[in-house]
Every structure is written in structure tokens, then in C-alpha cells.
Amino acid sequence: MFSDMGVPTKETPFEVAEASDVVITMLPSSSHVLDVYNGPNGLLQGGNSVRPQLLIDSSTIDPQTSRNISAAVSNCILKEKKDSWENPVMLDAPVSGGVLAAEAGTLTFMVGGSEDAYQAAKPLFLSMGKNTIYCGGAGNGAAAKICNNLAMAVSMLGVSEALTLGQSLGISASTLTKILNSSSAHCWSSGSYNPVPGVMEGVPASRNYGGGFASKLMAKDLNLALASAKEVGVDCPLTSQAQDIYAQLCENGHDSKDFSCVFRHYYGGKDEV
């Protein structure tokens, strides 16, 4: 696809690295990131010497994998020293905003790693998004993202549950949405990404939950949150419940539908006529 658009392409990640000063990756899971960095023909398969001075991973993965890859990158040396850089640096920089924000260039980047590298990379982030937030050391961007998606999942469930109950009590979804959006319950799930078909244009609910953020990816991110919570001994009962619901959605064949489909396919909510 990119070749047809006139963009130079390469056969392998290693060949991309050999031709690049900066490499940005955005992949579905930790295993994909590990394969692209450390696998056969991966970004780091040139031995201890690499060309890119900056490697940015915008995947949503577990913080420990980000920290491990960052350590591997920092143990390499640059083939050509650039400015004051003697070693390559990695930043973990997952995003929030979904497909709509990516298309509009309004993503938010949550960035972990060296603060100097973050400052150097900031113009790159702002060419793709409107917000960039430094979160601290390596892996902290990944940690921020799974916490964000945890809250997003629980919020979507809460809004879907309220809207379904409202319908059952005789309140239209559009009316209840107006109330939510002008009261203390206002949130992104009600005001910008409403899950009820017929209430809001331009969101996945308006196109049979096509596009957007797949339920299987939400289930994956909730698994990451639960695993991280277990590692640090934090009890997260709402995360556990949300993970069960999204796992059930996926098992019932809705894994590729946007995660807001929970309104229809779990709660049984009705379209707005």
C-alpha cells in the first residue's frame, strides 16, 4: 500500500533500521514487538551496532517488555555518532485517541524513557498528535497507557449499562445522553464516543461498530492491566469484571467489532430510532 503511494519500503525491519535515523513501531502485542526488535531480521539484528539513534515504540504492551527492549537498545552503539548521541535510545510512546484521532492528527502520546530523548522527539510526536506527556523512565509510557485503557473500558461499561437501563425505564438514549453530557456523569464514552447507534455521527456505533478499537484489543489491554496489577499486588476488581465481559464478547464472535459494541452485544441495548 505504501509502495503504491510512492513511499520507500523495505523487506525486513533490519533493512528499515539500516536506512533510518529514527524508527517508529506500532504493533498489536508484546510478542510482535519482541519479534520486530529481536527476531530474525529484526531491528537489532545488526549485532551491537545500529544506525538509528532513536527507536520509538507506540505499541500498547506490558511495561516490563518495554523496559527490557529499552535496556537492549541502550546496550548497543551507534554506527555513526550523531551530535552528542553515543548510544541509541528507545522511548515507549503509546497513544490515546483511537483511529479517529490518528486520522485527525490529534493523538495524545504518553512517553517513557530518557527525558533528553523525549525532548528531542517531541516535534515528531506533535507532527502526529496534539498532546505529548512525559511519564518518566522506561516503561512508564506503557504503564500509563494500560491504566488509561483500564479506565476507558470501565467507563464504556458504565455508560452502556446506564443507557440500557434508561431505555428499559422509558428514557430515550439521546435524552439520557444529553443529561449525562451536561452533568457529573459526563465522560468521553458518552460525549465523544457514544455507544448507541443513532445518537452520534462519525463514531463506530454509527456504522455497525465497524472500525475503531477492536474488542479483542481491549480484552488484551485489560489482560495486561490485570497482569501488571498482580505483579505489584494491587487488587483491581472492576478491571477483572471488565476483562470477563470483553472476553465473553470475543468468544461470542464480536472480537473485531469496536469495543463500544458492548452496549448492543452484552447489555442488549437498542438502537435509537
Side-chain angles (χ1 to χ4, degrees), residues 60 96 110 142-160 185-190 193 213 218 221-226 236-240 242-243 246 259 262:
T60 300
S96 180
M110 297 158 256
K145 178 60 190 292
I146 60 175
C147 291
N148 178 81
N149 280 19
L150 178 169
M152 185 169 70
V154 172
S155 169
M156 181 59 74
L157 293 176
V159 167
S160 296
H186 179 231
C187 63
W188 182 81
S189 295
S190 67
Y193 211 81
F213 187 63
M218 180 56 82
D221 290 354
L222 289 167
N223 277 329
L224 292 176
L226 283 173
C236 294
L238 293 181
T239 308
S240 181
Q243 198 281 331
Y246 278 102
F259 81 108
V262 71

Side-chain angles (χ1 to χ4, degrees), residues 75-108:
N75 285 331
C76 297
I77 59 172
L78 288 172
K79 286 187 175 180
E80 298 178 18
K81 291 183 173 54
K82 302 174 180 70
D83 302 323
S84 60
W85 300 58
E86 293 191 2
N87 299 91
V89 179
M90 178 185 172
L91 295 171
D92 50 286
V95 301
S96 180
V99 174
L100 297 178
E103 291 173 344
T106 58
L107 292 167
T108 292

Side-chain angles (χ1 to χ4, degrees), residues 19 43 61 68 92 99 253:
L43 295 170
I61 61 174
N68 291 342
D92 50 286
V99 174

Side-chain angles (χ1 to χ4, degrees), residues 255-270:
D255 54 311
S256 295
K257 295 285 189 181
D258 180 75
F259 81 108
S260 62
C261 79
V262 71
F263 169 78
R264 175 191 287 171
H265 296 301
Y266 181 80
Y267 287 106
K270 307 300 182 186

